[in-house]
Amino acid sequence: METIHLLHHSEVKSKNPLQNAKGMTITELLVVLALVGVVALGNATFLFDFTNQLKRINSASEGDTELSVLNIATVNILKKSAASFNKVDLRDDNNRNFFDYYPDVPYSTIEDQAKNSAQRSFTMTPGQANRYFYLLQSEEAEFDSVIFDPMFAYRQSSVPANQLLNGTVQYVGLNSIPDLKGTTGSSPNGSMTQIFQTRWAPGKLFMLSCPTYLRPIVGGSISIMTAPRFASYLGKVSGSDLGLLSNAESKVNIINSHPITLANYTNVDGFMRTLPAVGGAAPFVKIEPVTMVRFELRVNSVTNKSELWLQELTNGQYKDVNMLLSGVSEVKFVRKAITLPIISLEVKR
């Protein structure tokens, strides 16, 4: 049997240096102080690491919150931008129109005939001059839209002597159409004012469209690799009509031309007289309120941080609406397939 020797209290007392009448030696004091220093240093290091980790967690949490807010804001912006496709000509990173949209061509066909052309990307980095991402947004959800027969905008100006001959008609302006009835009753200001009320105001943007996709005829033939467009006219309210919105004012190329002949529209009358038929002998026109917005990535002169801003075209100038995100190193708008009207936003911080 193995014997276990127990250490008695009397022996502890006689061997405990703290109870020794002679006290502690210099060496023992240095050892104790060293141990205390190690413990103190360990606590300080722990507290330092803990504080830094807490800051990192807090920073990451704030970053996640900012990105979540940006995601919600971006979704609300992009989901209203269907009017941009085949209407706005914005050159992407490879000098192709970012808004090319092929609703009637399979993705595989585009990839087979033109390699690497079925995707689009538009990159913005701080310090780039005049680098903006533009969108044409519909306000149909807020103000509704109207579909009407374009003949309502005309009146007969001459009656032929022979009923077999053509007479002439005169364009009277969109806000003079008598056959459209608004939801608020009659008004001396005209039908568009009845329907859109205060939204029909000088300088406000509206888009006219005839939703039939067409392709231009070049050399007597049509190429399926050319993006189809429908006849559309983007203008701003001027008196009782819509004046053409110029590219100089929009700061981006707006495609205001006939989808078949490619002839440029100069006014609403010219747009109406060349409309294609829709499912029969007569065309119809949709009018909806729209806005032009753009994204800008710029450096804040005070904080020296790059900020992503949303701006809106107002009275001929783009004005700040919201600062969406700070501390951005790169922003990229991406379309994975030009056969789908879907835009995604990628951000690097």
Side-chain angles (χ1 to χ4, degrees), residues 272-290:
M272 296 283 203
R273 290 178 184 268
T274 58
L275 285 173
V278 180
F284 64 85
V285 176
K286 175 183 177 181
I287 180 170
E288 62 181 311
V290 295

Side-chain angles (χ1 to χ4, degrees), residues 43-282:
N43 287 337
T45 304
F46 169 77
L47 290 174
F48 180 77
D49 291 343
F50 176 78
T51 303
N52 282 345
Q53 183 68 13
L54 187 61
K55 289 180 179 179
R56 285 194 292 269
I57 293 173
N58 185 55
S59 177
S61 177
E62 291 179 352
D64 290 342
T65 300
E66 290 177 345
L67 291 176
S68 297
V69 173
L70 174 65
N71 183 60
I72 294 172
T74 303
V75 168
N76 289 332
I77 294 168
L78 296 180
K79 73 180 182 181
K80 298 190 297 182
S81 302
S84 304
F85 296 101
N86 294 340
K87 180 62 179 176
V88 177
D89 185 3
L90 179 66
R91 298 289 102 182
D92 75 346
D93 297 337
N94 297 301
N95 198 34
R96 297 174 300 204
N97 185 12
F98 182 90
F99 292 108
D100 278 344
Y101 173 45
Y102 292 77
D104 55 353
V105 181
Y107 180 91
S108 57
T109 300
I110 297 176
E111 277 291 85
D112 288 343
Q113 297 193 27
K115 295 295 183 183
N116 301 319
S117 68
Q119 299 182 5
R120 296 289 187 271
S121 63
F122 185 95
T123 305
M124 302 166 61
T125 56
Q128 289 180 303
N130 301 318
R131 184 71 168 173
Y132 307 98
F133 184 80
Y134 293 86
L135 288 170
L136 181 60
Q137 290 187 307
S138 172
E139 290 188 307
E140 188 175 12
E142 292 83 2
F143 297 97
D144 210 349
S145 61
V146 178
I147 296 176
F148 61 94
D149 186 332
M151 283 305 299
F152 288 167
Y154 292 83
R155 67 184 178 193
Q156 188 175 28
S157 58
S158 67
V159 180
N162 187 330
Q163 62 180 359
L164 298 179
L165 300 176
N166 291 329
T168 59
V169 293
Q170 180 182 355
Y171 179 70
V172 295
L174 289 176
N175 206 26
S176 301
I177 300 176
D179 296 84
L180 293 181
K181 302 301 181 184
T183 57
T184 59
S186 60
S187 169
N189 295 322
S191 296
M192 293 300 169
T193 307
Q194 292 176 28
I195 296 170
F196 295 110
Q197 300 182 34
T198 57
R199 182 57 175 76
W200 183 272
K204 292 293 186 179
L205 302 184
F206 284 81
M207 186 171 74
L208 302 174
S209 61
C210 182
T212 299
Y213 279 107
L214 301 169
R215 286 181 169 85
I217 301 175
V218 180
S221 62
I222 298 173
S223 173
I224 197 173
M225 294 307 297
T226 301
R229 293 190 296 110
F230 51 72
S232 60
Y233 175 96
L234 179 61
K236 57 182 180 179
V237 176
S238 177
S240 63
D241 211 358
L242 291 178
L244 187 69
L245 179 68
S246 68
N247 292 337
E249 187 171 356
S250 65
K251 304 296 190 297
V252 65
N253 184 28
I254 303 297
I255 305 175
N256 271 320
S257 62
H258 195 281
I260 297 177
T261 66
L262 302 181
N264 291 325
Y265 299 126
T266 58
N267 50 50
V268 177
D269 184 22
F271 169 78
M272 296 283 203
R273 290 178 184 268
T274 58
L275 285 173
V278 180

